[in-house]
Each structure stands twice: as structure tokens, then as C-alpha cells.
Amino acid sequence: MATSGETETLLRHRSSTSSEQKEDKMHWTDDEGDSDFDDPSLPYGGKVFLARKKKPDTLLVRFIEMCVIVGLVLFVYYSYYHFENLRFHVNHAYAHIGHTHAMHLVGQRYLDGIGIDKDHSQAMRWFRYAADRDHPHAAHNLAVAHLQGYSTDIKDKEEAKQLLEFAAGKGVKESKDALRKLCQFGNC
């Protein structure tokens, strides 16, 4: 049996050991309980991060990835071999949003039949939309088409002349030439 002096020493040793463990535990964790990896006595300074095994992707994720890859390959094929058609559809989308230059380009595409079948009535409609939104080249194309006899919504030569004057005022050289030729024949 332990004597009272030995018991007292054991109790002090136990209390000092538990207080050291508490200090040690307090040293290794901060207020939030996060590890404090700054002990230089440990190998690598205590900063050892274990690799985690990544879970394999589900079949749904693999299917979606394959669909994206196949779609991308098809889009690259389409854009390479059918560029004019793609360009028309992109311009057409911008024209529907309200971009005036895209409206003019769609009208040009319909007029020339590039990327789409020729359709003069659609071309004049898109030129009108762009001209109403103050696009000078569309105004020029609409006026010249009317003067050349295409079916447009222009009522008379006076309106065509106003469109040409607007385009010439915005710096379209062809409109200035058309006005000069138009005035030569006494249609001013």
C-alpha cells in the first residue's frame, strides 16, 4: 500500500500530467477546434495532408460528358463545312434581337442567296427594318432596289430620294453617286 507521501506525489503527478495534456491539447487546437499545424518537432512540421480517394463519376455524369463531346464535334464539323449557313443563322439571331447591322447583313444574304435561298421580298423586308433604325447602307440598298424595279414598300421616287440623301449624309459613297445620276436625268 502507498503511504500518504507517495499518494500525494501520485496525485500531484496525475494532476500535472492531466494539466500538461490539456495544455498540449490546447496548443494543438485553437478556439474553433481547428488544428494548429505548426509544431516543428513533428516530421514535415506537422503539415501532412492525406490524399483522398475520388469517387468515380456516375453514369449520368459520364453520359452528359459524352453528349457534350459529341455535340462539340458535330458543331466543329458544321461550322467548318457549312460556314456560310452558320453565319447566316448567327446574323439572323442578332437581327431578331434588334442589331441593325445584322438586319442589313441578313437582307444582303437574302438578296445574294449566300447561306440561304434567294428571296427578294425577305431581303427588302430586312432592309426596311434596318433603314427604319437608321442604318445608312440598308437605306441605300432599299432605295436602289426600288429604283431598279424590285418590289419594295417604298411608295414613290421621292421617298427613295430621301433614303438616298440620308445614306449620302451618313457617308455612303454609292448613295452620292446614285443621287448624282438620278439628278442627271431630271428626277431630283
Side-chain angles (χ1 to χ4, degrees), residues 84-146:
E84 292 300 327
N85 197 346
L86 175 69
R87 188 173 176 191
F88 170 78
H89 288 294
V90 169
N91 284 331
H92 200 259
Y94 276 106
H96 278 289
I97 292 172
H99 195 271
T100 57
H101 190 67
M103 290 178 187
H104 174 254
L105 289 176
V106 168
Q108 277 297 136
R109 298 282 170 164
Y110 273 120
L111 188 65
D112 298 335
I114 299 174
I116 196 76
D117 294 334
K118 282 186 179 184
D119 189 353
H120 295 290
S121 64
Q122 285 290 331
M124 297 309 132
R125 185 177 72 118
W126 283 106
F127 285 147
R128 172 52 81 182
Y129 289 157
D132 287 345
R133 288 168 182 80
D134 296 334
H135 192 278
H137 291 283
H140 168 79
N141 287 343
L142 187 62
V144 169
H146 176 73

Side-chain angles (χ1 to χ4, degrees), residues 23-24 28 38 53 65 83 88 90 93 109 113 115 119 170 174:
E23 286 178 17
D24 194 17
W28 284 100
D38 292 332
K53 187 175 180 183
E65 287 174 348
F83 180 72
F88 170 78
V90 169
R109 298 282 170 164
D119 189 353
K170 294 289 184 172
E174 293 86 4

